[in-house]
Amino acid sequence: MRMRMVSVIGLLFGGLAVASAAVAGQGLPPKPAKLTMAVVAGGETKGLKAILPMWERERGVKVELVEFPYATLYEKLVTAFQANAPTFDLLIADDPWMPKFGAEGWLVPLDQAFGYRRDPDIFPVVYDLGSWPPPRGPIPPGEAGKPRRLYAITLVGNVEFFMYRKDVVPAPRTWDDVIANARKVHDPTKPFYGFVIRGAKGNPVISEFTPVLLSFGARIFDDKWRVVLNSREAVDALRFFAVELKKYAPPGVENYDAAERAREVATGRAAQGFIWPAEITDIVENPAVSKVIGKMGYTLVPRGPGGRHAPLMGNWLLAIPKASRNQRWAYEFILWATSARVQRPYALGGGIPFRRSILQDPDLNRRFPFFKAMADSLAVPAEWRPRTQEWFAVEAILGTHVNAALAGIQTPEEAITKAAREIERHMKEAGYYR
């Protein structure tokens, strides 16, 4: 009886999926000669490039990728938006750009324009990230009264989690566990380090420090954008990060970026650290460069004294510019590329997926042993950076002082006090306080 019921349910949901696909395909305008998509140059498009031939075979519409370096992509998009030019039909955007793009109304609202409905197979935080105004946390001045719409959907499901040498230490659940593991195996004479830090100034060190900061119960802003960084919890977090963890790190980590961190682990010189998915496939689990294949475990970022895990999101989002002349076909591409059917070849082609069913798939987990850690991180849910156009300035300020603490130039107390003061001054100048 149970098997019969499962079959009926499967047929029902399968029928609904087919019906939904049929509805999505009704009333399509004539096929355009091509869709033009603005993308960042680099590994973020690996999975996208793998699935484009499938789309073109199935739908008969070419997608032309126009690749730009990170900073140039942002400038090109803003220029096209401000001119209301139909330069691009689709784009991928770094998630910290959403506050600017959402506030300016430059993107097509997918729910309002096309009736997009949330899929329970996609983690709610993924939808929240592409919504504007944000559904939680402080909302920038002038944005609170706007109706919330879904303007973008994740394509690259980046989320930060934790790696450890499972052949020498157990999976850590708390920061105390991390220290105990590090103390057990740390031996600079080999060398073998208990922990490796991505500590370079600016974005690198803030991507690393933010999960620690939040897990200690600290915040940068309250719900009114007042700076609450200058707290005992924040100082304790920075002391733990820049003093305690650094005791077990390689020399010079204040200059390390992602590649240096991943390389220390891949060459068998470090036991623990944060990690992003692309670093695993490119370095840590790459047989051409790694000595630790089969020795790595992946798990949630550890829980701190504040009682919480705080993995950080870093997604790239698919969206449609309002000036696009092929909005409906662009939307069809978004539906297709984010579908469960296509997410599997996307993942196998080197993409970073975000669907629950893909990340929890047993076969894919055998091939990509970090997928479960990604699913657990997104389910927590993962944290995003504060949703403000001023984030890059805030990150630069905080990243300068956290790096100074890591380098031993400032004490944790000095670094937090100075960062809080400068961030508050910046936010005031930006019009966040009357």
Side-chain angles (χ1 to χ4, degrees):
M1 174 64 76
R2 187 173 179 221
M3 288 299 293
R4 179 183 174 86
M5 183 64 72
V6 169
S7 298
V8 171
I9 291 171
L11 286 170
L12 174 61
F13 277 95
L16 287 174
V18 170
S20 298
V23 169
Q26 287 176 1
L28 282 175
K31 293 179 181 180
K34 65 179 178 180
L35 297 174
T36 303
M37 184 187 301
V39 300
V40 67
E44 291 83 359
T45 60
K46 189 187 300 182
L48 176 61
K49 290 175 179 176
I51 62 172
L52 283 184
M54 287 177 57
W55 161 264
E56 293 172 5
R57 283 195 306 270
E58 293 178 13
R59 306 307 292 271
V61 178
K62 180 176 175 57
V63 176
E64 179 182 59
L65 301 185
V66 185
E67 300 183 72
F68 301 102
Y70 183 88
T72 306
L73 174 61
Y74 180 82
E75 293 169 0
K76 293 289 185 182
L77 290 174
V78 170
T79 298
F81 291 151
Q82 290 175 337
N84 197 33
T87 312
F88 307 113
D89 297 303
L90 285 156
L91 61 92
I92 63 169
D94 195 7
D95 71 72
W97 301 349
M98 266 303 296
K100 175 70 172 176
F101 294 0
E104 296 290 348
W106 286 334
L107 305 176
V108 175
L110 305 179
D111 47 1
Q112 183 184 40
F114 305 110
Y116 183 92
R117 294 185 180 181
R118 294 189 176 206
D119 184 337
D121 190 37
I122 295 177
F123 292 93
V125 71
V126 169
Y127 287 122
D128 292 347
L129 195 66
S131 299
W132 192 262
R136 67 177 186 273
I139 297 174
E143 299 300 299
K146 294 182 177 180
R148 182 169 297 117
R149 301 295 184 197
L150 179 68
Y151 289 98
I153 300 175
T154 290
L155 177 67
V156 181
N158 260 352
V159 63
E160 192 174 33
F161 46 98
F162 202 78
M163 61 180 168
Y164 62 98
R165 280 283 299 274
K166 65 182 182 181
D167 59 326
V168 295
V169 296
R173 290 189 172 90
T174 68
W175 286 117
D176 287 342
D177 294 341
V178 171
I179 292 296
N181 284 349
R183 190 179 294 124
K184 172 186 172 184
V185 301
H186 185 69
D187 185 353
T189 64
K190 288 186 176 180
F192 190 64
Y193 302 101
F195 192 86
V196 60
I197 298 172
R198 180 189 180 196
K201 188 183 296 185
N203 171 266
V205 76
I206 293 308
S207 295
E208 198 96 339
F209 177 58
T210 297
V212 179
L213 179 76
L214 298 177
S215 75
F216 270 66
R219 298 173 68 188
I220 301 173
F221 302 105
D222 67 12
D223 285 343
K224 301 294 184 183
W225 290 108
R226 293 291 173 181
V227 178
V228 292
L229 177 66
N230 198 359
S231 65
R232 177 184 57 80
E233 291 84 0
V235 172
D236 288 347
L238 186 53
R239 184 178 297 111
F240 175 80
F241 180 77
V243 179
E244 293 304 313
L245 283 179
K246 191 186 178 184
K247 287 179 185 176
Y248 304 101
V253 289
E254 61 271 20
N255 299 312
Y256 274 29
D257 207 335
E260 288 80 17
R261 176 186 58 192
R263 196 169 294 116
E264 290 284 11
V265 173
T267 55
R269 287 165 46 97
Q272 303 174 107
F274 290 102
I275 196 71
W276 293 89
E279 297 165 43
I280 297 175
T281 54
D282 290 350
I283 301 176
V284 177
E285 299 282 356
N286 182 350
V289 297
S290 179
K291 298 179 180 178
V292 296
I293 304 295
K295 298 179 180 180
M296 299 306 302
Y298 304 97
T299 188
L300 271 170
V301 297
R303 187 174 66 248
R308 57 185 296 221
H309 301 278
L312 183 65
M313 295 183 79
N315 287 189
W316 282 86
L317 309 174
L318 265 176
I320 305 170
K322 274 192 173 178
S324 167
R325 291 174 178 157
N326 298 299
Q327 292 183 13
R328 182 56 192 273
W329 275 100
Y331 177 65
E332 289 296 311
F333 179 83
I334 288 177
L335 287 181
W336 181 89
T338 60
S339 68
R341 178 177 71 88
V342 177
Q343 279 274 291
R344 176 177 285 270
Y346 172 79
L348 292 171
I352 306 300
F354 55 86
R355 278 187 171 267
R356 201 184 303 264
S357 60
I358 299 298
L359 293 174
Q360 295 176 344
D361 181 276
D363 291 336
L364 290 176
N365 267 272
R366 280 188 283 274
R367 181 160 182 168
F368 304 104
F370 56 92
F371 273 13
K372 184 181 184 302
M374 288 182 62
D376 292 344
S377 299
L378 290 169
V380 165
E383 294 286 341
W384 55 56
R385 293 131 170 130
R387 308 307 271 168
T388 168
Q389 297 181 37
E390 306 307 317
W391 170 247
F392 290 108
V394 171
E395 181 181 65
I397 293 168
L398 185 57
T400 296
H401 292 290
V402 171
N403 174 265
L406 191 63
I409 298 170
Q410 296 177 3
T411 66
E413 291 83 358
E414 288 171 337
I416 291 296
T417 300
K418 290 179 178 180
R421 186 186 308 129
E422 291 174 26
I423 292 169
E424 185 171 42
R425 185 185 307 128
H426 177 86
M427 298 302 283
K428 184 175 182 179
E429 292 171 354
Y432 275 62
Y433 315 135
R434 294 182 180 177

